[in-house]
């Protein structure tokens, strides 16, 4: 069992930056593939980025490629999402997720989810 807690969300102007953090409980964090997803009001939850167990590979949704960076620190049991050049359309609740088996972009690839953190980008 893994518990995930996100932090770092907030209100930012368009063009600004935020860094989200997601800290996991347990001693097996480095065995999990980690992902970030987001859900805007009235829309389905969508994939943002994922990272493999030791961070050697990352993958991004086209909508955030070149602006967002996913990374992890396995000593701190934490995965990060650095978000630059933010746009109003990035406004959403951001969730981190852990997968035992898949480095995927589908919700069903992930076994554990955090509670989410709100990111609001004003124009």
């Amino acid at each position: 069992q893994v518990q995930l807690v996100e932090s770092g969300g907030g209100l930012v102007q368009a063009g600004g930056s935020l860094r989200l953090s997601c800290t996991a409980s347990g001693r097996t964090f480095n065995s999990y593939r980690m992902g970030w997803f987001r859900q805007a009001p009235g829309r389905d939850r969508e994939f943002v980025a994922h990272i493999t167990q030791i961070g050697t590979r990352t993958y991004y949704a086209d909508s955030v490629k070149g602006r967002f960076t996913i990374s992890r620190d396995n000593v701190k049991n934490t995965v990060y999402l650095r978000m630059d050049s933010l746009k109003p359309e990035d406004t959403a609740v951001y969730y981190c997720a852990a997968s035992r088996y898949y480095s995927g972009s589908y919700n069903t690839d992930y076994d554990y989810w955090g509670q989410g953190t709100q990111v609001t980008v004003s124009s």
Side-chain angles (χ1 to χ4, degrees):
Q1 188 80 9
V2 175
Q3 292 186 324
L4 304 172
V5 179
E6 300 99 333
S7 61
L11 174 64
V12 63
Q13 288 188 329
S17 299
L18 282 175
R19 188 179 79 159
L20 306 183
S21 301
C22 172
T23 301
S25 64
R27 290 175 282 183
T28 58
F29 178 72
N30 59 6
S31 68
Y32 289 90
R33 299 146 176 90
M34 299 298 296
W36 285 96
F37 288 74
R38 66 187 182 186
Q39 187 168 20
R43 301 189 65 175
D44 292 336
R45 188 158 54 188
E46 65 175 7
F47 168 76
V48 175
H50 70 64
I51 188 167
T52 51
Q53 294 96 312
I54 58 172
T56 50
R57 287 183 294 168
T58 58
Y59 186 76
Y60 298 91
D62 288 343
S63 58
V64 307
K65 200 173 296 183
R67 300 187 298 122
F68 290 12
T69 304
I70 189 172
S71 62
R72 66 190 296 163
D73 184 335
N74 286 346
V75 173
K76 296 182 178 180
N77 279 14
T78 300
V79 61
Y80 303 98
L81 186 68
R82 170 74 181 190
M83 305 185 294
D84 295 314
S85 302
L86 282 161
K87 305 175 181 179
E89 51 264 43
D90 294 318
T91 295
V93 177
Y94 283 71
Y95 299 90
C96 73
S99 172
R100 289 171 291 179
Y101 304 117
Y102 302 107
S103 293
S105 56
Y106 298 101
N107 292 312
T108 52
D109 291 332
Y110 292 83
D111 305 292
Y112 304 103
W113 293 84
Q115 83 290 348
T117 185
Q118 176 71 46
V119 171
T120 303
V121 184
S122 63
S123 57

